[in-house]
Amino acid sequence: MSNTVSTGWVIALTPPQWRGWLLTNTPHSRWQARAGRAYLGWAAFARSPLSMLGLAILVALVGMAIFAPLITVYSPVVSGDTVADRFLPPGGDHWLGTDAHAWDIWSRIVYGSRTSLLIIFMVAIIAAPVGVAIGTTAGYLGGWVDTALMRLTDAFLALPKLVLALAFAAALGAGMENLILAIAITSWPPYARIARAETLTVRNTDYIAAAQMSGASSFRILLGHIMPMCMPSLIVRVTLDMAGIILTAAGLGFLGLGVPLPQPEWGSMVADGRNDILNQWWVCTYPGIAIFIVSLGFNLVGDGLRDVLDPREQ
Amino acid sequence: MIPGWLRSLGKVLVSIAITMFGLLLVTFVISRMLPADPVLAIVSDHASEEVIAAARVKLGLNHPLPVQFLIYIWQVMQGDLGISLRTNNPILTDLAHVFPATLELATWGIVIGVLLGVPLGVLGAVRKDSWIDNVIRFIGLVGYSMPIFWLGIMGLLIFYAKLDWLPGPGRLDFGYEDMVTPITGIMTIDTLLNNDTEMFWNAVSHLILPAALLGYYSLAYISRMTRSLMLSQLRQEYVLTARVKGVPERRIIWKHAMGNIMVPLLTVIALSYGNLLEGSVLTETVFTWRGIGLYITDSIFGQDLPAVMGGTIVVGFVYILINTLTDVLYRFLDPRAR
Amino acid sequence: MTDKPILDVEKLNIRFNTPTGINHVVRDVSFTLGREKLAIVGESGSGKSQTARAILGLTPGMVSAQKLEFNGRSLLGLSNAEWREIRGRRITMVMQDPKYSLNPVMRIGDQLMEAAARTNARSALKSRAMEMLEAVKIRDPERVFRAWPHELSGGMGQRVMIAMMLVTEPELLIADEPTSALDVTVRLQVLAILDDLVKTRNMGLVFISHDLNLVSTFCDRVLVMYAGQIMEELDAKHLQDAKHPYTRGLLACTPSLDHPVEVLPTLQRDPSWMAPVSR
């Protein structure tokens, strides 16, 4: 971990007794050492206003998803009077207006955050472990296993992600699970690459040799020693990828391959509003802004994490 | 002995072949194994018994799966991507018809992206952490956080619907596209070949918004990568040597450092070009631009899975080709790799 | 020496702004240089490299000095244009590792000609470059001229560097650890070439190194730096008579074939050495 410089508002605001305990050069337990490192990492991250902005966005996103019922008045899927309440402009009771089906747009955006979070989370949960498993195995075992697995990875990396996800989703049909699967299938290769690179650096170290000599099985070594080493680079990459995943999911939603109506999903909301854009611009505009802000948030946080965990520039 | 260049060529072809194999494996799985009944993927809903039976034989469903796969590869290599359920044309013919439109748009996009993105990236690197640098980084950040389809819609809304500065969707004004005899498929060239200058300017005006959109998108990525590459070069010892020699800073940047980032930058540009081609499924839909992207999305809406797969194969092939060629160029241009 | 010294440095200070405060890396350094070979010796972090860079105006730190003169002309507060007049023409520098200090995507000949262009007409560039390649004893100058940097060995690369930095006939050459990245056998060759060229051109040489024994045989005078200050200044011939404990400590640390010892001594640092040296 770089940036062991002890400055910044986080460090300034920490009560002195805690600061001493966290920054000590002689930690008494593994827990203390880890806490200290995490603390310094957080202090470094928090020094960048842009990173904090990104974090604020993500916190707002999660907050929106959790407290959805508390911050919305209308239901996102049950409409009011379909004739009178269609296409109400923003302002008044409906903060962001209503759409063609008389659904409240603000509600749909808020509840749409749940959809987005779910998609991102599931894709990460599927793609990252698969990628890490393949990458670490390839790096650790070497030989023909390495070559075969890396050929597989490179083949997948060489394929166009969006178009393939599109093809998958088109063949599987619309729906959330298919969408998640389609994106996950094309997302794992970079993680395999990263995991393999990290494994190769660590593979020949003394402590791995010690673990091998003490009789630990390959599986145990992989799981307990090697995979944790991949964590920093992986976390950075996953966070940055999430920005792209949001965009891909929205794009697929825009093309009608996401979650079907009436469930709120920002991409399909943009598609929905596209036909009536000339006079009812708000239906299309607000969901797009939401997509942009969330993607921006992930990019900012990802950049901030990279500066802290994996700095090659500064 | 096989000459060196021939051997390299052979390696390149093998690499393309292997990746295409992977691509076809994936598309085979998608088109044959995923739908419940593969036949229904290629015949329309109300086909008769005979048609279904014939399709079954044609698909080779009576053969074991690996054999089916080999037949599939054989067909694709011959250019037989099947018949479109919507247009009833051979899919390859349809694709060849619309592909130039996608190329035209993507190429303009990348040209804008490079002409603006590289200098901006260099400027940001040279004036690191200044306000100019921050503005450039911000523009880039916004660019690749933006959902491109939404930005296109907003662009049309503002510049076409509200301000009337630019024409609307389509490659030419509505209805005129059939009046131009396609020769190369590239509208700007075809209108000139047809001796129709009015149409030419019409085509150009229609290019502006979508090309600007794609240009901005690729500029965001290219400027960021250029900046990062340039920064890492400016830290190198040879730059210090050049400064000691009294070489003017401009020459240090554009001859010394640029020479060193040329190769990875080309990879970045190629990657971006591939992304633009891929992203055409979204931009062409927004602008009703009759290219491969729109063809694929129309096929999705029209439940024309064979056409979707055919389009995927072609886009995939071009994507793979671009990436492989950049690898070749990399090895060719870097004196250390020869 | 009746003519002006090539370099006249008086109370040179270099400071760096860091997040943890100001880092004072060079403190009140003073020395003069005539047409001789002066060595600046010290460990990593002693400030020797920064001193060298300050002479070329290439240190990122803040430079302040009572006097920093090159041939009577002050080097303080020069504009970029003025620096470009001096750099490459009147003062040049050879760096440690040609693997990194030569531009990997430019041919050797082009890099040489670029340096030569400062003082030669276009038509003469190639011949000047070839002349210099021969002067640094490169046996196949035509081939090296067309070569890429990665095709050269360390010794050849360093000789090319020397050629490149002497092609404009500067008055002062700074060599920042020029042989540290080379094999011991190649080291002596390169030093011999450097010695010869500096002598025939009647130049001044500032030789930076961490190797006290190396400079004792090669240079005329030696400056010993520690923690940004000059601890001692003496003639290379009289190195063994050094008085400062740091210098003596350094001398004692190097193993000798003639006087083997059981245990190699390690340097005992005295905090009083960090205190400002009064001169």
Side-chain angles (χ1 to χ4, degrees):
Chain A
M1 196 157 287
S2 72
N3 274 341
T4 44
V5 175
S6 318
T7 54
W9 62 273
V10 169
I11 301 204
L13 289 181
T14 327
Q17 324 90 275
W18 291 11
R19 204 185 312 168
W21 184 79
L22 286 166
L23 294 182
T24 174
N25 278 323
T26 48
H28 295 299
S29 67
R30 202 198 269 176
W31 150 241
Q32 185 180 7
R34 283 206 180 134
R37 278 207 307 274
Y39 171 71
L40 277 174
W42 163 240
F45 179 84
R47 237 177 293 155
S48 156
L50 279 181
S51 304
M52 292 307 284
L53 173 66
L55 192 61
I57 294 177
L58 295 189
V59 166
L61 177 70
V62 172
M64 213 187 232
I66 298 180
F67 298 112
L70 298 177
I71 52 176
T72 56
V73 176
Y74 299 92
S75 157
V77 295
V78 174
S79 54
D81 187 337
T82 25
V83 172
D85 288 342
R86 288 179 89 221
F87 288 135
L88 293 176
D93 286 338
H94 295 271
W95 298 343
L96 297 183
T98 57
D99 63 11
H101 311 267
W103 289 321
D104 178 39
I105 293 185
W106 167 247
S107 292
R108 283 176 71 72
I109 290 190
V110 169
Y111 278 88
S113 67
R114 291 186 173 179
T115 319
S116 301
L117 275 179
L118 187 62
I119 295 177
I120 297 174
F121 185 66
M122 291 303 296
V123 168
I125 286 260
I126 298 177
V130 167
V132 169
I134 293 183
T136 49
T137 312
Y140 188 67
L141 293 179
W144 66 268
V145 174
D146 185 16
T147 321
L149 286 178
M150 278 304 112
R151 274 288 140 96
L152 179 71
T153 310
D154 284 343
F156 263 91
L157 260 179
L159 305 179
K161 285 210 279 287
L162 179 64
V163 168
L164 268 188
L166 193 75
F168 263 110
L172 290 169
M176 173 105 77
E177 304 87 16
N178 297 334
L179 179 67
I180 291 174
L181 203 61
I183 300 179
I185 289 180
T186 49
S187 300
W188 65 266
Y191 309 138
R193 270 265 183 94
I194 292 177
R196 177 177 179 269
E198 297 280 345
T199 311
L200 287 179
T201 4
V202 172
R203 184 171 63 162
N204 294 319
T205 53
D206 286 340
Y207 75 90
I208 295 290
Q212 285 168 330
M213 281 192 283
S214 67
S217 72
S218 294
F219 184 67
R220 200 191 160 86
I221 294 182
L222 275 177
L223 211 59
H225 295 281
I226 296 191
M227 284 190 196
M229 292 301 296
C230 309
M231 279 309 122
S233 321
L234 213 64
I235 292 180
V236 172
R237 187 62 200 250
V238 168
T239 312
L240 285 173
D241 279 356
M242 283 181 177
I245 291 176
I246 279 264
L247 293 178
T248 309
L252 289 178
F254 177 71
L255 293 176
L257 292 169
V259 292
L261 291 176
Q263 215 180 331
E265 196 266 313
W266 296 338
S268 55
M269 284 169 74
V270 174
D272 206 29
R274 188 176 158 221
N275 299 322
D276 313 293
I277 182 103
L278 289 177
N279 293 319
Q280 286 85 23
W281 55 269
W282 55 89
V283 185
C284 198
T285 311
Y286 292 119
I289 295 180
I291 302 171
F292 165 61
I293 292 182
V294 170
S295 179
L296 186 71
F298 276 112
N299 271 325
L300 288 174
V301 170
D303 275 351
L305 280 178
R306 184 182 41 210
D307 287 341
V308 169
L309 292 174
D310 192 21
R312 242 165 278 170
E313 263 182 38
Q314 250 75 300
Chain B
M1 279 306 318
I2 312 174
W5 67 267
L6 198 58
R7 208 179 302 165
S8 305
L9 183 65
K11 276 196 210 152
V12 168
L13 290 177
V14 166
S15 162
I16 295 182
I18 293 183
T19 334
M20 278 309 289
F21 184 82
L23 176 66
L24 290 179
L25 183 60
V26 171
T27 51
F28 178 73
V29 165
I30 297 178
S31 58
R32 299 292 174 86
M33 292 167 57
L34 288 182
D37 185 351
V39 176
L40 291 178
I42 70 163
V43 302
S44 58
D45 288 342
H46 17 264
S48 64
E49 279 293 329
E50 300 99 41
V51 175
I52 293 185
R56 189 146 270 147
V57 170
K58 182 167 198 292
L59 276 182
L61 286 178
N62 39 329
H63 299 293
L65 265 179
V67 179
Q68 285 187 45
F69 183 45
L70 290 174
I71 300 178
Y72 180 71
I73 295 185
W74 179 236
Q75 285 176 322
V76 171
M77 271 171 51
Q78 292 190 303
D80 178 10
L81 294 173
I83 310 271
S84 160
L85 293 177
R86 282 183 310 127
T87 66
N88 275 316
N89 295 330
I91 293 177
L92 196 61
T93 316
D94 277 347
L95 291 174
H97 192 72
V98 291
F99 195 57
T102 308
L103 271 186
E104 183 184 23
L105 196 52
T107 308
W108 275 111
I110 202 78
V111 162
I112 296 178
V114 170
L115 287 182
L116 289 179
V118 171
L120 282 179
V122 169
L123 186 61
V126 168
R127 298 207 196 287
K128 181 172 189 275
D129 292 336
S130 69
W131 68 271
I132 293 185
D133 183 26
N134 286 326
V135 165
I136 294 176
R137 291 176 76 187
F138 183 68
I139 293 179
L141 192 62
V142 163
Y144 56 82
S145 307
M146 191 73 81
I148 197 175
F149 57 91
W150 178 82
L151 194 61
I153 295 176
M154 292 293 116
L156 278 175
L157 179 65
I158 298 177
F159 292 106
Y160 166 57
K162 300 287 177 194
L163 291 176
D164 207 8
W165 286 357
L166 290 172
R171 304 176 75 195
L172 289 174
D173 284 346
F174 188 63
Y176 287 165
E177 273 178 62
D178 304 317
M179 289 168 57
V180 179
T181 331
I183 303 173
T184 58
I186 299 178
M187 194 57 77
T188 40
I189 298 184
D190 282 348
T191 46
L192 285 179
L193 291 177
N194 268 310
N195 275 323
D196 196 337
T197 31
E198 190 193 321
M199 287 292 204
F200 171 72
W201 289 113
N202 196 295
V204 167
S205 67
H206 275 262
L207 257 179
I208 295 181
L209 199 52
L213 186 71
L214 289 183
Y216 178 52
Y217 196 60
S218 67
L219 177 163
Y221 180 57
I222 291 179
S223 73
R224 169 180 241 221
M225 295 309 293
T226 307
R227 178 183 180 276
S228 150
L229 286 170
M230 184 56 84
L231 276 178
S232 89
Q233 286 311 306
L234 289 178
R235 271 198 301 269
Q236 301 295 319
E237 277 260 298
Y238 71 81
V239 169
L240 183 62
T241 305
R243 292 207 174 113
V244 166
K245 283 183 357 187
V247 176
E249 198 71 12
R250 178 159 285 153
R251 189 177 152 93
I252 292 185
I253 295 173
W254 293 103
K255 178 140 172 61
H256 285 255
M258 194 53 107
N260 276 279
I261 67 177
M262 196 71 86
V263 175
L265 194 58
L266 262 162
T267 320
V268 165
I269 294 176
L271 206 69
S272 191
Y273 193 61
N275 278 336
L276 289 186
L277 284 177
E278 255 208 303
S280 65
V281 288
L282 294 170
T283 32
E284 289 180 7
T285 309
V286 169
F287 287 95
T288 321
W289 193 270
R290 303 218 165 280
I292 278 200
L294 187 58
Y295 184 80
I296 294 180
T297 43
D298 281 346
S299 304
I300 293 179
F301 288 131
Q303 317 278 30
D304 188 359
L305 197 58
V308 174
M309 298 322 299
T312 306
I313 292 177
V314 168
V315 171
F317 178 62
V318 175
Y319 195 78
I320 291 172
L321 208 66
I322 292 177
N323 283 334
T324 318
L325 283 180
T326 21
D327 257 348
V328 169
L329 221 63
Y330 202 107
R331 241 163 286 156
F332 190 67
L333 288 178
D334 189 338
R336 282 165 289 188
R338 284 191 221 170
Chain C
M1 278 184 296
T2 49
D3 46 343
K4 272 200 276 287
I6 295 182
L7 259 189
D8 193 351
V9 181
E10 209 175 297
K11 289 209 190 306
L12 173 70
N13 281 281
I14 304 181
R15 294 177 178 79
F16 279 90
N17 255 331
T18 69
T20 35
I22 296 199
N23 197 0
H24 201 165
V25 297
V26 172
R27 307 157 188 259
D28 284 341
V29 161
S30 306
F31 63 93
T32 55
L33 173 78
R35 291 181 195 285
E36 55 181 326
K37 300 197 288 286
L38 174 72
I40 304 184
V41 178
E43 36 183 89
S44 314
S46 55
K48 51 193 203 299
S49 275
Q50 291 305 319
T51 307
R53 307 239 159 143
I55 300 175
L56 274 165
L58 286 173
T59 169
M62 295 180 296
V63 175
S64 63
Q66 205 148 322
K67 208 200 276 185
L68 180 62
E69 286 182 5
F70 170 63
N71 272 331
R73 179 185 180 177
S74 177
L75 294 179
L76 294 168
L78 289 185
S79 69
N80 275 330
E82 287 166 322
W83 269 120
R84 261 184 273 123
E85 255 306 294
I86 296 181
R87 287 181 200 145
R89 267 178 93 182
R90 312 193 53 207
I91 311 181
T92 57
M93 178 160 75
V94 170
M95 276 150 283
Q96 184 172 328
D97 197 342
K99 228 184 5 239
Y100 300 116
S101 53
L102 290 173
N103 189 334
V105 298
M106 273 174 84
R107 290 187 202 264
I108 300 290
D110 291 330
Q111 299 191 49
L112 276 172
M113 292 201 292
E114 183 182 44
R118 304 295 307 283
T119 52
N120 294 283
R122 287 193 79 187
S123 44
L125 291 181
K126 175 152 189 202
S127 54
R128 270 302 283 156
M130 297 294 279
E131 245 177 75
M132 283 312 297
L133 284 178
E134 278 159 12
V136 295
K137 313 264 193 324
I138 293 213
R139 249 172 292 134
D140 191 354
E142 198 50 68
R143 184 186 72 88
V144 170
F145 187 85
R146 279 195 311 268
W148 302 98
H150 68 275
E151 294 173 347
L152 303 183
S153 67
M156 281 216 297
Q158 202 62 318
R159 281 183 277 164
V160 163
M161 257 310 249
I162 295 174
M164 196 157 70
M165 290 306 172
L166 291 181
V167 73
T168 51
E169 316 259 328
E171 288 142 71
L172 170 62
L173 175 69
I174 305 176
D176 193 349
E177 311 239 25
T179 54
S180 307
L182 302 176
D183 290 336
V184 176
T185 44
V186 181
R187 221 171 261 193
L188 296 173
Q189 277 177 23
V190 172
L191 282 179
I193 292 172
L194 198 54
D195 191 20
D196 181 46
L197 289 173
V198 167
K199 215 177 301 184
T200 48
R201 282 161 166 68
N202 209 12
M203 303 167 43
L205 173 71
V206 174
F207 191 100
I208 303 192
S209 177
H210 55 265
D211 191 340
L212 203 47
N213 279 318
L214 180 74
V215 303
S216 67
T217 52
F218 181 65
C219 295
D220 304 318
R221 274 197 301 143
V222 178
L223 288 176
V224 179
M225 273 186 83
Y226 177 71
Q229 298 181 313
I230 298 184
M231 295 284 115
E232 195 165 9
E233 179 180 334
L234 25 83
D235 278 351
K237 293 192 288 286
H238 303 143
L239 205 55
Q240 298 301 324
D241 307 333
K243 298 204 185 46
H244 197 283
Y246 179 64
T247 320
R248 296 222 62 87
L250 281 184
L251 285 170
C253 283
T254 38
S256 155
L257 277 178
D258 305 328
H259 307 285
V261 289
E262 281 285 311
V263 177
L264 277 180
T266 47
L267 197 57
Q268 302 299 324
R269 291 161 207 282
D270 188 339
S272 70
W273 297 340
M274 299 272 296
V277 175
S278 52
R279 282 186 187 277

